[in-house]
Amino acid sequence: MAREFEVVVIGGGPGGYVAAIKAAQAGKKVAIVEASKLGGTCLHRGCIPTKALLKAAHVYQTAKHGAAYGVETGTVTFNLERAQAFKHDLVAGLEKGIEHLMKQGKIEVFRGKASILGPSIFSPQPWTVAVDDETGESELILPNQLIIATGSIPRELPGLPFDHERILNSDDLLRFEQLPSSIAIVGGGVIGVEWASMLVDLDVDVTLIEVGERLLPLEDKAVSREVERLLKKRGVRVKKNVTVDPEQTTVKTDGVELVVGEETLAVDRVLVSVGRVANTEHLGLQNTSIVVENGVIQVDAQYRTKERHIFAIGDCIGKLQLAHVASAEGVKAVETILGHEPTPLDYDLIPRCVYGVPEVASVGLTEEAAKASGRNVKTGTYRFNGLGKARIEGQADGFVKLVSDEETDDLLGVHIVGPKATELITEGGLALVLNATALEMGQLVHPHPALSEAFQEAALAVDGLPIHA
């Protein structure tokens, strides 16, 4: 017998489980369908495990250079097995936390693959959700409202498919039992830069390959230049404006030989990090009026699809592929289901972060985007090497850059490359939400010594009045 729910969510990642909790808090009878583990890509194959290993690499480097602080540890070695155990225990603990939230909210969890069926004699709605578990058994669910939150999967490079042994995606690297001696990373976006940073810290020979003219192409050009400079300083070889020819790539038993531009490169492994594609296959979307363009589900400002009672959020709708974005979209979708009229999400006010060394974080418009929009802009930049706290931390590279409208003085964008950037960016985001000016940020008294002092100095620099420069 088919079971009825007021809200059904397909996908248990940060978009799906947050939406389920929000609906349950409103008193709705809620179910969530997850094919694998609660937490989705973010918890199991993305945000959390990669940051755990980045932290392990950072601790390793800190220990190696501890003598500068008077801490002499002798020979320092990196134990990958212990690092992987740390990562595993961390993920398992957080997964249990999500499971507890499901029980607390009385949210029923169905384990299996979901597909949307067409009209059925079992359903008062024109569609039903079938859940197929690992044994092949199928169960029918009748949702009044449906939210699709199926996420994304790593994109393959045409002609160079993943073999999961030598040609890898980011999921594969998280499972490694032995560090590669050398690696070529194809793709200089967020994923490629984070892995390059981590692996070079773990003494792996790293070559980072980008088809475009700069790394992190969505960031401010000044940020891209600084990231490239600091990666090179740490030993990463960076190759830009070049492509990998799949037809001239040879996978051998002991490595991979690939042609990059006019150079032949021999490496132990290749990581392909050229983005992610929406996970919309085998969902039964053909049984609905839902529109899929360029592989992503089309939605309106409230995340409603062409089917009035079906919503879609997260990576599968092709906007910013970030966990915190999916969560915010899930909340907005549920608010719409509850009959509210939520303010559409402003994607320009959402922080974007890169967790390598140096860290990168930004919110709002880059200088280039602001100028392209027709605005006259002024900028202020302050480097961390002018701060005592940054020198104490041993991370004095990088800067804070503010982009401001020359006519209105409103802040348009905040860009950070350097220590704790992913923590500091919230101040910049709040300033944009409050429509602050650089003058107002400069007048705010910041604690000393603190990394956040860079905001105050950069704000004053917008009008040519920095104190410590």
Side-chain angles (χ1 to χ4, degrees):
M1 183 68 179
R3 300 180 59 188
E4 296 185 23
F5 293 88
E6 291 174 282
V7 178
V8 172
V9 182
I10 301 177
Y17 81 73
V18 167
I21 291 171
K22 184 72 174 178
Q25 287 175 340
K28 298 294 183 180
K29 184 180 180 182
V30 183
I32 192 166
V33 183
E34 172 54 50
S36 182
K37 298 179 179 180
L38 290 175
T41 292
C42 177
L43 178 56
H44 297 281
R45 300 176 297 282
C47 317
I48 300 303
T50 56
K51 278 54 178 179
L53 292 179
L54 278 161
K55 177 62 177 180
H58 177 68
V59 171
Y60 173 55
Q61 286 296 317
T62 300
K64 286 175 67 175
H65 297 92
Y69 293 90
V71 180
E72 298 179 357
T73 57
T75 301
V76 178
T77 58
F78 181 76
N79 187 318
L80 179 60
E81 184 177 356
R82 292 283 294 276
Q84 291 282 30
F86 164 70
K87 179 202 74 177
H88 177 272
D89 292 345
L90 174 68
V91 169
L94 291 172
E95 183 186 5
K96 287 182 179 178
I98 297 172
E99 291 174 345
H100 171 73
L101 292 174
M102 296 299 101
K103 291 179 181 178
Q104 180 176 274
K106 298 180 180 179
I107 299 165
E108 184 137 5
V109 179
F110 290 82
R111 307 283 180 170
K113 296 182 178 180
S115 58
I116 302 171
L117 306 180
S120 167
I121 60 172
F122 300 104
S123 174
Q125 300 290 350
W127 30 260
T128 306
V129 175
V131 182
D132 297 321
D133 64 21
E134 292 181 350
T135 67
E137 293 293 322
S138 184
E139 187 169 3
L140 295 181
I141 303 175
L142 305 181
N144 187 33
Q145 307 280 350
L146 179 64
I147 300 175
I148 300 172
T150 48
S152 62
I153 57 177
R155 184 189 300 275
E156 285 191 329
L157 193 64
L160 196 63
F162 302 125
D163 64 11
H164 309 292
E165 291 292 334
R166 295 291 172 180
I167 309 298
L168 313 174
N169 59 38
S170 54
D171 294 356
D172 300 322
L173 269 183
L174 283 170
R175 294 188 290 265
F176 54 50
E177 298 178 355
Q178 181 177 347
L179 289 169
S181 57
S182 60
I183 192 166
I185 300 176
V186 182
V190 174
I191 297 173
V193 165
E194 286 188 352
W195 278 104
S197 177
M198 180 201 305
L199 291 171
V200 78
D201 271 352
L202 298 178
D203 303 324
V204 176
D205 187 282
V206 179
T207 302
L208 183 57
I209 302 164
E210 169 56 39
V211 67
E213 64 179 11
R214 60 191 178 100
L215 304 180
L216 301 177
L218 299 182
E219 298 297 332
D220 193 274
K221 285 185 178 180
V223 170
S224 295
R225 288 193 297 269
E226 184 77 351
V227 168
E228 180 180 344
R229 181 182 75 83
L230 294 176
L231 285 176
K232 286 180 176 178
K233 181 179 177 181
R234 291 162 59 212
V236 176
R237 286 189 300 277
V238 177
K239 298 183 180 297
K240 301 177 298 181
N241 294 308
V242 293
T243 58
V244 173
D245 186 348
E247 294 185 359
Q248 298 187 66
T249 299
T250 305
V251 178
K252 303 179 179 180
T253 57
D254 60 348
V256 183
E257 190 175 275
L258 61 163
V259 175
V260 182
E262 298 181 354
E263 178 184 354
T264 299
L265 186 66
V267 293
D268 188 14
R269 299 287 194 278
V270 173
L271 168 65
V272 177
S273 59
V274 291
R276 299 179 65 86
V277 295
N279 192 14
T280 59
E281 297 292 326
H282 311 300
L283 278 176
L285 298 183
Q286 72 278 4
N287 298 321
T288 73
S289 299
I290 292 174
V291 177
V292 178
E293 292 182 2
N294 298 319
V296 298
I297 297 173
Q298 301 300 295
V299 296
D300 64 15
Q302 282 72 46
Y303 307 101
R304 184 182 278 114
T305 69
K306 284 294 184 180
E307 294 278 6
R308 181 171 178 77
H309 298 287
I310 302 180
F311 297 74
I313 61 172
D315 288 6
C316 67
I317 65 172
K319 298 186 185 294
L320 290 177
Q321 293 184 332
L322 301 169
H324 49 286
V325 171
S327 297
E329 291 169 345
V331 169
K332 295 286 186 182
V334 172
E335 288 177 345
T336 301
I337 288 172
L338 297 176
H340 306 321
E341 296 182 2
T343 303
L345 198 60
D346 187 341
Y347 290 91
D348 286 338
L349 299 181
I350 294 175
R352 307 174 297 276
C353 299
V354 185
Y355 292 83
V357 178
E359 288 190 359
V360 174
S362 59
V363 62
L365 300 178
T366 65
E367 180 179 355
E368 300 77 36
K371 288 179 177 177
S373 70
R375 294 178 173 91
N376 294 321
V377 303
K378 51 185 178 179
T379 65
T381 299
Y382 191 77
R383 299 195 67 85
F384 282 109
N385 62 12
L387 300 181
K389 184 61 183 297
R391 290 175 177 263
I392 290 168
E393 294 287 340
Q395 299 181 61
D397 288 311
F399 55 80
V400 170
K401 176 179 177 179
L402 305 183
V403 180
S404 180
D405 190 304
E406 191 169 23
E407 297 175 4
T408 66
D409 287 331
D410 289 338
L411 280 174
L412 301 175
V414 179
H415 308 276
I416 312 173
V417 53
K420 306 295 182 182
T422 60
E423 304 292 339
L424 294 172
I425 194 59
T426 302
E427 178 175 340
L430 182 60
L432 289 183
V433 168
L434 297 177
N435 202 30
T437 66
L439 176 63
E440 289 168 331
M441 183 175 278
Q443 289 178 332
L444 177 65
V445 177
H446 287 71
H448 174 79
L451 297 173
S452 63
E453 290 178 276
F455 278 116
Q456 188 171 12
E457 293 287 350
L460 294 171
V462 168
D463 292 310
L465 298 172
I467 302 299
H468 296 92

